[in-house]
Amino acid sequence: MEAVFRATWVIAYRDLLRFVGDRPRLIGSFAMPLLFLIIFGAGFNRVIGALAPGVDFVQFMYPGIVAMTVLMSSLMSGLSMVWDREFGFLREVMVAPLSRTGIVLGKVAGNGVIAIGQGLIMLALAPIIGVKIDFILVLKLIPLLLIVSICLSGLGILMASRMRSQQGFQMLMQIIIMPLIFLSGVFFPINNVPVWLEVLSKFNPLTYGVDAIRQVFLSGNLSSTNGLPGDGGYAFGVTIFGHTMGIIEDAVVMAVLGVILLSLAIWSFSKQE
Amino acid sequence: MDTGTNIIEIHDLTKKFGQITAVDSISFRVYKGEIFGFLGPNGAGKTTTISMICTLLKPTSGRATVNGYDTLKQRRQVQRVIGLVFQDPTLDDYLTAEQNLLFHAYAYGVPRGEREKRLDQLLELVELSDRRKSKVSTYSGGMKRRLEIARGLLHHPQILFLDEPTLGLDPQTRYHVWEYIHVLRKQEELTIFMTTHYMDEAENCDRIAVIDQGKIVALDTPDNLKDSMGGDVVILEAEDSPKAMLELKEKYNLSPELQDKTITFCVPHGETFLPEFMRSFQSKVVSINIHRPTLDDVFLKLTGRAIRDQEAAPWAQFRMMMRH
């Protein structure tokens, strides 16, 4: 147990230390979400108009963009592992008396902190967009961002656990990121779409993260108090077999998926030579 | 040197990558406190063997113990008593030297009270104290290697593994690295296990295992290995090689070997043999050279090939890929 804990903290420590000196990465994780927010916002906002009373397109999209920032940042955990393998540092890690489980958990922990930090930085945009935020909202948001981050870090490390080149990993990321994002309900409610699209979206783990984060944001912003999730008045909630998912339920789905992905990542990473 | 204690014991260790046998059932022991050298061409299986002893690779069969610990069953105990310096750099370029060392200290659980002192002491030893706050990306190749040596020693290992410690370094830096190795061995009471394909470096070892195509073909002190040649080495080039070979065999009762156009053989006392030989030898000699045996000659005799003109064995490249 001591070895797991020591590995977790030393790996997280090093990833954080390294992140501080890595400006391109800091900017990189923000670039795509910001681009989508600005371009799609400017392009669609007037055409689409209000999606619900008091919620225009940008306000609808914005919580999804926060989730997307966390996604981009979390998948980086995989990239950093491939990087370490390619440039040799992973060998230093592998011969140290550290638990392999702890090494994976350390990557997740380090990236979790970075991802939450980046997600929260996106909150600075809230006043510009016209979304109200307060301290309680931020407190509710943090555990959700953490769960999303763990889930996607698990996915990133699973992808990276055997990958030997950064190019290969980047390719795989490209293939995975776009469907993950487009099928997660960031840009449109998935209740009013063709069945195939709805089914695909409901298999996407990110969907539940986006939904939970959006509910946290919009519960404080909808003009009608009936807009609270579960009351039937919340227009965008993800429904599974007729049941509209609440924040806690979304979080549980993400957490279960996170545990599965993380276990697979640990298994795959530990088995390698 | 205490020849009574074995710090490493290897029994029938084998590693196969698919159809290729990189290490073929080797067995040997390393004594506590010695400098033990693994000498062989690229692709001979040196790095694969080290990787198995260091728990980085699982053997296909056979077993290895380090300080009495089994490398498979007691991985963590083994990892604690060994320090490693790899062929390829394993530093984090984006961190400073100090941060790299601190990471290592945390990872190996070096006690807090000891950490700073040990860091200072080792940075002093490898003469990097003034650059400790610099990012490793600003270091030269030699400085990186020195930093890696310091890092490998941070947790007071009993055995330091050096995989081609001077590969790619200029002669001056190579000389320095060797100075450190000798100082370290005295200061830290280390056992040193190294691989090299430089013959002159192998001379620094107490004992050498000559490895070729995954097998150990000889294991002894450098002097004994050279003595096993049976005297001085004569290298001769004749106009008609086959005829000269025949004459050497029949008239002088020698066992010469022919490679390309040069004939090599050994005689007990070269300086008295040569004048007499030049008078009586019938074949026409183009050039003749005589020298005390080197490890190069030993390797040539043992494997029939010179180490320096080895092409990397076919699996060497494959192994390079596997290593990462």
Side-chain angles (χ1 to χ4, degrees), chain A residues 1-4 6-7 9-15 17-19 21-22 83-101 164 270-273, chain B residues 15 17 47 51 54-59 75-76 79-80 82 84 86-95 99-100 102-104 106-109 135 151 163 321-324:
Chain A
M1 205 54 216
E2 189 269 338
V4 177
R6 186 158 37 84
W9 108 253
V10 71
I11 297 292
Y13 159 82
R14 179 258 178 172
D15 271 17
L17 202 60
R18 180 156 180 174
F19 175 75
D22 192 358
W83 174 286
D84 285 351
R85 184 177 287 120
E86 201 173 344
F87 290 92
F89 190 73
L90 195 63
R91 272 156 74 84
E92 152 81 351
V93 173
M94 296 299 253
V95 292
L98 297 171
S99 127
R100 301 248 167 121
T101 304
R164 287 177 197 286
S270 302
K271 261 192 62 182
Q272 76 179 317
E273 283 190 302
Chain B
K15 181 71 190 180
F17 295 114
T47 303
S51 297
C54 298
T55 76
L56 271 173
L57 276 178
K58 286 194 183 101
R75 207 174 79 197
R76 267 192 219 133
Q79 287 167 334
R80 279 184 190 283
I82 60 174
L84 283 143
F86 297 103
Q87 256 178 58
D88 320 296
T90 61
L91 296 159
D92 187 340
D93 272 7
Y94 284 76
L95 301 184
Q99 287 169 330
N100 267 290
L102 273 176
F103 174 87
H104 191 89
Y106 294 141
Y108 284 77
K135 281 199 176 180
R151 188 181 64 177
D163 193 6
M321 276 155 46
M322 295 300 296
R323 249 193 359 237
H324 291 285

Side-chain angles (χ1 to χ4, degrees), chain A residues 188-201:
Chain A
F188 44 80
I190 57 165
N191 291 340
N192 262 330
V193 293
V195 177
W196 63 267
L197 188 53
E198 189 183 334
V199 170
L200 282 178
S201 297

Side-chain angles (χ1 to χ4, degrees), chain B residues 27-46:
Chain B
S27 303
F28 61 93
R29 292 185 181 85
V30 177
Y31 305 139
K32 199 171 170 61
E34 72 174 338
I35 300 185
F36 185 88
F38 239 28
L39 177 71
N42 292 326
K46 293 175 301 204

Side-chain angles (χ1 to χ4, degrees), chain B residues 135-153:
Chain B
K135 281 199 176 180
V136 174
S137 53
T138 66
Y139 276 31
S140 70
M143 289 164 78
K144 284 185 186 172
R145 198 64 53 92
R146 269 146 57 197
L147 181 59
E148 292 215 43
I149 291 174
R151 188 181 64 177
L153 291 167

